[in-house]
């Protein structure tokens, strides 16, 4: 069972670090990524529309 699924595409830029758990990221172009604790990504405004989900839950550090 999924704990969280974003209900929209995010077009904002972020720096994101997974502190605990696991986060799935789907890009608008269909690519998917699984991030676990210690992994991060950086995306610029309007660069890669994305939406996130988690089955296990995740604790994140995010800078907008």
């Amino acid at each position: 069972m999924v704990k969280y699924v974003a209900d929209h595409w995010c077009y904002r830029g972020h720096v994101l670090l997974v502190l605990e758990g696991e986060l799935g990221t789907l890009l608008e172009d269909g690519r998917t990524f699984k991030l676990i604790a210690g992994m991060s990504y950086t995306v610029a405004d309007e660069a890669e529309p994305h939406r996130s989900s988690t089955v296990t839950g995740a604790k994140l550090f995010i800078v907008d």
Side-chain angles (χ1 to χ4, degrees), residues 31-55:
R31 290 179 289 160
T32 61
F33 300 91
K34 180 173 85 171
L35 291 89
I36 59 172
M39 296 177 79
S40 65
Y41 73 79
T42 303
V43 63
D45 284 343
E46 306 291 329
E48 297 283 344
H50 53 281
R51 59 194 313 178
S52 299
S53 63
T54 182
V55 175

Side-chain angles (χ1 to χ4, degrees), residues 25-33 48:
T25 298
L26 171 64
L27 300 184
E28 195 174 44
D29 67 10
R31 290 179 289 160
T32 61
F33 300 91
E48 297 283 344

